[in-house]
Amino acid sequence: MATLSGGQTIATQGVTAQENVTITNILNSSFPAVTISQVTLDTAASPPTQVTQTIGTFDATSVTSTVIIPTTNNEVVVASLPAPTPGQGSGAINNIVVDDKAGGLIIQGTQIGTVTGVIIDSQSETKIVVGDAGTQLMDLSRSTKDMNIVTGVGNDTVVAGSGNDSVQLGDFGVANGGAGADTLIGGLGVATLGGGGGADSIVASSGGGTLIGEAGNDTMVGGAGKDVFIYTSGGGNDLIVGFDPSQDTLGLANFSDISSAGWSLLDVISRATVSGGNTIITMPDGSTVTVAGATGININWFTVK
């Protein structure tokens, strides 16, 4: 449960106590005096399209779409999905299109086997999106605002926009920060986290996963699980923290850029230097990866593509 500065509470589902603290802090800093509206989405008003579409391992059998239109600017909408009718809950996709005036969206009531799609356009004022215990597909790529996204548990996918965004996964999932200086934090399960453009901070989930720095000077922080840190040649000067050579791997993407300079992986390794207990790996174009607190670089650290 998240709490506003005036004492009003908002029930949240599928999020941890720490995530509720995060949500509370975001609401109090971004929406100190704003209208909170509770709405129940009428999926019956949008007759479901009957389909059979496989998305990964998920079989979608019906699709509905709902547009949320707040009554006031910057309003935070708590959207509750109704309980499914018998025989319809599993395999349903509920698309939510958020009107430009909404300041935030908090989703509740997603059933197991149901996917909620969240779509936000370039004119949107939305600054926070909170998922729940179901699966969310959040297309926020057209947003230009600095957004805070918390997904809750489930297998979620988030594509953020051009602002300086914060994405916190609750469980399994995939997230890309888009342009801007973003912060991506994995959850309890395995996650793939891509920073996009800009100087990003990427923190692995506790279940392990893949961290992709992409363009900009990024910081990637490993977790307790088996992590793969992906560095793209020409991707800036990145910092890797928490690299465990016994289980983690450094991945060099676009290795053709390295080989076209006449270098092999052994050349990359032999040119690495050590400073203050950190290993500094330099690419042919001068970009670097600093692996903090790790020495003894060898071929077993790497995978290439």
Side-chain angles (χ1 to χ4, degrees):
M1 181 173 293
T3 306
L4 297 175
S5 56
Q8 181 180 359
T9 59
I10 299 175
T12 51
Q13 300 174 6
V15 298
T16 66
Q18 183 56 52
E19 287 172 336
N20 271 322
V21 172
T22 299
I23 296 165
T24 295
N25 291 338
I26 294 168
L27 289 172
N28 287 327
S29 62
S30 299
F31 308 97
V34 73
T35 301
I36 306 291
S37 64
Q38 305 266 351
V39 299
T40 299
L41 302 185
D42 185 5
T43 54
S46 173
T49 302
Q50 297 299 320
V51 298
T52 300
Q53 177 68 49
T54 299
I55 304 174
T57 59
F58 176 85
D59 289 332
T61 56
S62 68
V63 179
T64 63
S65 294
T66 304
V67 179
I68 292 180
I69 304 176
T71 56
T72 59
N73 289 333
N74 207 35
E75 185 174 320
V76 175
V77 179
V78 181
S80 299
L81 288 161
T85 55
Q88 271 196 344
S90 181
I93 296 178
N94 299 308
N95 290 321
I96 300 176
V97 181
V98 182
D99 181 81
D100 297 346
K101 293 190 295 185
L105 172 67
I106 298 176
I107 302 169
Q108 296 179 345
T110 301
Q111 304 295 313
I112 296 175
T114 300
V115 172
T116 301
V118 179
I119 303 168
I120 292 177
D121 69 20
S122 60
Q123 304 302 313
S124 175
E125 294 296 320
T126 304
K127 304 179 189 69
I128 180 172
V129 176
V130 179
D132 69 353
T135 295
Q136 280 86 44
L137 303 175
M138 298 185 182
D139 181 6
L140 318 176
S141 59
R142 290 178 290 277
S143 171
T144 59
K145 300 297 181 183
D146 297 342
M147 296 193 66
N148 293 277
I149 303 105
V150 181
T151 66
V153 299
N155 195 348
D156 304 304
T157 299
V158 178
V159 181
S162 59
N164 299 328
D165 305 308
S166 173
V167 181
Q168 183 169 335
L169 297 181
D171 205 344
F172 299 87
V174 177
N176 187 280
D182 307 306
T183 300
L184 293 89
I185 302 174
L188 301 177
V190 177
T192 298
L193 307 173
D200 306 307
S201 296
I202 308 169
V203 181
S205 61
S206 59
T210 303
L211 290 72
I212 309 171
E214 301 186 77
N217 299 332
D218 305 306
T219 299
M220 294 178 276
V221 181
K226 294 182 179 180
D227 300 311
V228 179
F229 301 87
I230 302 293
Y231 176 81
T232 302
S233 178
N237 300 310
D238 289 356
L239 172 65
I240 294 174
V241 179
F243 177 74
D244 181 353
S246 70
Q247 65 175 6
D248 298 334
T249 305
L250 301 180
L252 297 181
N254 294 345
F255 193 75
S256 58
D257 292 346
I258 297 172
S259 59
S260 64
W263 288 27
S264 67
L265 178 56
L266 292 178
D267 292 319
V268 173
I269 294 172
S270 66
R271 287 171 165 81
T273 59
V274 175
S275 176
N278 308 316
T279 297
I280 302 168
I281 304 167
T282 302
M283 301 300 163
D285 65 356
S287 57
T288 63
V289 183
T290 298
V291 185
T295 58
I297 185 172
N298 62 78
I299 199 167
N300 294 322
W301 283 21
F302 294 89
T303 182
V304 299
K305 291 186 177 181

